[in-house]
Amino acid sequence: MFGSRSKEEKSPTGKVQADLSKQPRDPEAPKGRPTPKRSEAQTQRRRASSTAPTDRKEAAKRQREARRVDLAKQREALASGDERYLPARDKGPVRRFTRNFVDSRFCIAEFFLPLAVVILVLSMVRIGSLQNIALLLWLGVIVLIVIDSIGLAIRLRKQLNERFPNESKRGAIAYGLMRTLQMRRLRLPKPQVKRGERP
């Protein structure tokens, strides 16, 4: 008699608890879970405090460390060409194609720095004829670089319009021309194509 009654009393409370779990909890109602022991609460607080910085110095130190890790990843990506960690200016298929287009050609602009050093040395020699030759060489190099850069910009724009008609090509021509001014082995990201190879 008592056993059957106790079973009947237990079953409605289970239903009530299920219904209460669906309803939003009143803030003044009991929390429905046991209070954690002091040792457990302290370990949870210590974990939270170990992940969060305690003061400004600690926060700055962590920020510097995160920046250092990001820069290391960027350096590796610039050497390997890994698209995920490249800087924003080098990301995307348009920039990659521009790099490959420039790297597959000989450009006069990439020899600008060595030629500038030679011309500078010739202009410092106290012989009038050598100084005149240096001046003519300087003018000739600049004219050739301008002509070569204009031709490269026209061809690159045409290729970009054919291959990427629906993508933004803003700044891609200037990006390619700036890349021509660097010597091939000093370019970053490193060239991924050989000279003469189609990009």
Side-chain angles (χ1 to χ4, degrees):
M1 180 162 124
F2 292 110
S4 62
R5 192 172 184 189
S6 63
K7 285 178 186 173
E8 287 171 7
E9 285 176 358
K10 282 180 185 174
S11 61
T13 55
K15 290 176 185 174
V16 170
Q17 284 177 351
D19 292 340
L20 287 174
S21 65
K22 292 176 186 174
Q23 295 176 353
R25 193 174 79 79
D26 182 25
E28 293 180 6
K31 62 183 177 236
R33 59 182 168 78
T35 304
K37 292 181 181 175
R38 179 178 286 183
S39 60
E40 290 174 7
Q42 285 174 345
T43 53
Q44 285 177 354
R45 275 200 298 275
R46 272 194 222 109
R47 282 182 196 151
S49 65
S50 67
T51 55
T54 53
D55 59 351
R56 283 173 55 198
K57 279 188 179 179
E58 182 69 24
K61 184 179 176 185
R62 288 187 186 188
Q63 201 172 16
R64 279 196 304 272
E65 185 67 23
R67 196 179 308 123
R68 190 181 64 75
V69 169
D70 288 344
L71 287 173
K73 284 181 180 177
Q74 273 189 10
R75 276 194 298 273
E76 287 174 22
L78 287 170
S80 65
D82 188 359
E83 191 81 17
R84 291 173 298 169
Y85 301 113
L86 284 176
R89 70 182 171 89
D90 297 314
K91 277 186 179 177
V94 173
R95 297 297 170 106
R96 184 173 59 245
F97 177 78
T98 303
R99 286 195 302 273
N100 292 343
F101 188 86
V102 169
D103 294 338
S104 66
R105 286 166 167 67
F106 273 103
C107 299
I108 297 167
E110 69 183 278
F111 303 110
F112 174 74
L113 285 177
L115 287 170
V117 170
V118 170
I119 291 167
L120 187 66
V121 169
L122 286 174
S123 65
M124 291 174 74
V125 177
R126 297 281 180 186
I127 301 169
S129 59
L130 279 179
Q131 287 180 340
N132 289 337
I133 291 169
L135 184 63
L136 287 172
L137 271 174
W138 187 249
L139 289 170
V141 165
I142 289 175
V143 168
L144 286 173
I145 287 173
V146 168
I147 291 169
D148 188 41
S149 298
I150 290 170
L152 180 90
I154 291 168
R155 290 193 301 274
L156 179 57
R157 180 175 280 119
K158 184 181 175 186
Q159 288 288 323
L160 286 172
N161 288 334
E162 284 177 11
R163 291 183 184 236
F164 308 99
N166 300 324
E167 292 194 39
S168 172
K169 296 171 278 293
R170 186 177 176 194
I173 306 295
Y175 176 75
L177 291 177
M178 288 301 293
R179 192 167 174 84
T180 62
L181 289 169
Q182 300 164 335
M183 294 174 71
R184 184 180 166 86
R185 64 178 60 178
L186 301 178
R187 290 175 184 167
L188 290 174
K190 295 281 186 192
Q192 302 293 314
V193 294
K194 295 176 182 176
R195 291 194 195 271
E197 189 178 328
R198 287 180 67 84

